[in-house]
Amino acid sequence: MGILNVTPDSFSDGGRYIDPSAAVDRAEHMLQEGADILDIGGESTRPGFDPVPLEEELRRVIPVIKAIRQAGITAPISIDTYKAETARRALEAGANIINDIWGLQKDAAMAEVAVEYGCPIILMHNRTEAVYANFIQDVIDDLRLTVERAQAAGIREDQIILDPGIGFAKSYEQNLQLMNYLDRIVALGYPVLLGTSRKSMIRHTLNLPPGDVVEGTAATVALGIAQGCRIMRVHDVQAMKRVALMTDAILRQR
């Protein structure tokens, strides 16, 4: 999954792809590098981010989704949002997947949109406060509750994808710890998306800026695939595609 942020303030690539023509060029480039899915977001979720009003988020993402489709690009598009109306409008414009960083917790109508459109939905682990009694078990229990919420709303089993939420409501040490237990999240029985690309866990470990952590991201991608994660959400598509192909080749020989 190639990341296409159409925001002015994302921690890594803010402001670079706001213009629809630039976004189309970037989308085409990522697909040439081996991306299978394009993830489009109009609101930065970096630490300390300012929430974006609905109309502004729509102004950013809808023209980009339409431009990508008008350019003849048919690859699946996921809309990175926790607002149900943004998800609805994005699906109408040509998106195929909802990527909800709040796992149905922020907007009660999100599940209704997923059911109405019969689309896959990525449900990420998140909390308003990083307070845990038993960290790993609490994350797993939270994800179980998220799945139950989705099922109760009518979302089909085969449309649910889970995300452990690396970098969200977790300390540096907890993010590293969670990387060792991804297989327990995989064991819940749903495809797992891993989004570690250029995140603070890597930058802090290596003491490097966001654009210089491709090797650190590669380590997390390989470890995630080895534990059974199915989708890698990344900025550096070409390099991470090669990491994924090599890791897959090794794992097939087990």
Side-chain angles (χ1 to χ4, degrees), residues 12 17 35 84 117 119 143 158 170 173 187 190 195 215 225 253:
S12 178
Y17 310 115
Y117 285 84
C119 66
L143 286 170
D158 62 354
K170 300 167 185 70
E173 290 80 11
Y190 301 90
E215 299 92 347
I225 294 171
Q253 299 306 312

Side-chain angles (χ1 to χ4, degrees), residues 79-148:
I79 177 64
D80 185 351
T81 186
Y82 54 86
K83 300 182 186 74
E85 185 58 22
T86 299
R88 179 187 302 278
R89 296 275 291 275
L91 291 165
E92 290 173 353
N96 313 94
I97 303 165
I98 299 170
N99 184 5
D100 183 358
I101 67 165
W102 277 102
L104 306 179
Q105 297 180 75
K106 281 291 185 180
D107 192 332
M110 185 67 89
E112 298 172 12
V113 174
V115 171
E116 178 182 349
Y117 285 84
C119 66
I121 184 166
I122 300 160
L123 303 172
M124 195 186 82
H125 178 266
N126 208 342
R127 284 187 173 194
T128 53
E129 295 184 3
V131 179
Y132 302 91
N134 181 335
F135 173 60
I136 297 298
Q137 190 58 51
D138 286 355
V139 170
I140 292 169
D141 290 344
D142 286 353
L143 286 170
R144 283 200 179 105
L145 287 173
T146 298
V147 168
E148 290 173 7

Side-chain angles (χ1 to χ4, degrees), residues 37-38 47 56 77 91 128 138 141 150 158 170 183 196 200 248:
I37 304 168
L38 301 171
E56 175 62 19
I77 293 174
L91 291 165
T128 53
D138 286 355
D141 290 344
D158 62 354
K170 300 167 185 70
D183 56 344
T196 54
S200 61
D248 286 345

Side-chain angles (χ1 to χ4, degrees), residues 32-234:
Q32 290 167 3
E33 290 186 326
D36 300 295
I37 304 168
L38 301 171
D39 188 56
I40 298 175
E43 178 174 338
S44 172
T45 53
R46 75 192 194 289
F49 76 97
D50 294 321
V52 174
L54 172 64
E55 289 305 318
E56 175 62 19
E57 187 179 31
L58 291 171
R59 188 187 69 80
R60 294 175 183 181
V61 301
I62 300 304
V64 167
I65 294 171
K66 288 182 176 179
I68 288 173
R69 290 305 186 219
Q70 288 167 0
I73 296 172
T74 59
I77 293 174
S78 67
I79 177 64
D80 185 351
T81 186
Y82 54 86
K83 300 182 186 74
E85 185 58 22
T86 299
R88 179 187 302 278
R89 296 275 291 275
L91 291 165
E92 290 173 353
N96 313 94
I97 303 165
I98 299 170
N99 184 5
D100 183 358
I101 67 165
W102 277 102
L104 306 179
Q105 297 180 75
K106 281 291 185 180
D107 192 332
M110 185 67 89
E112 298 172 12
V113 174
V115 171
E116 178 182 349
Y117 285 84
C119 66
I121 184 166
I122 300 160
L123 303 172
M124 195 186 82
H125 178 266
N126 208 342
R127 284 187 173 194
T128 53
E129 295 184 3
V131 179
Y132 302 91
N134 181 335
F135 173 60
I136 297 298
Q137 190 58 51
D138 286 355
V139 170
I140 292 169
D141 290 344
D142 286 353
L143 286 170
R144 283 200 179 105
L145 287 173
T146 298
V147 168
E148 290 173 7
R149 188 182 303 117
Q151 292 171 332
I155 296 174
R156 301 202 320 261
E157 286 268 320
D158 62 354
Q159 301 287 41
I160 295 173
I161 300 166
L162 299 181
D163 180 342
I166 296 293
F168 289 82
K170 300 167 185 70
S171 69
Y172 168 70
E173 290 80 11
Q174 286 170 337
N175 284 314
L176 291 174
Q177 184 183 3
L178 186 55
M179 287 296 302
N180 286 285
Y181 291 92
L182 296 173
D183 56 344
R184 290 190 59 186
I185 296 172
V186 171
L188 293 174
Y190 301 90
V192 173
L193 177 149
L194 183 65
T196 54
S197 183
R198 301 184 183 179
K199 287 192 173 175
S200 61
M201 171 185 72
I202 302 168
R203 305 196 312 266
H204 179 72
T205 298
L206 302 179
N207 192 28
L208 291 169
D212 195 22
V213 290
V214 64
E215 299 92 347
T217 297
T220 63
V221 166
L223 182 61
I225 294 171
Q227 293 186 74
C229 296
R230 299 282 298 277
I231 305 170
M232 302 293 123
R233 182 180 181 272
V234 301

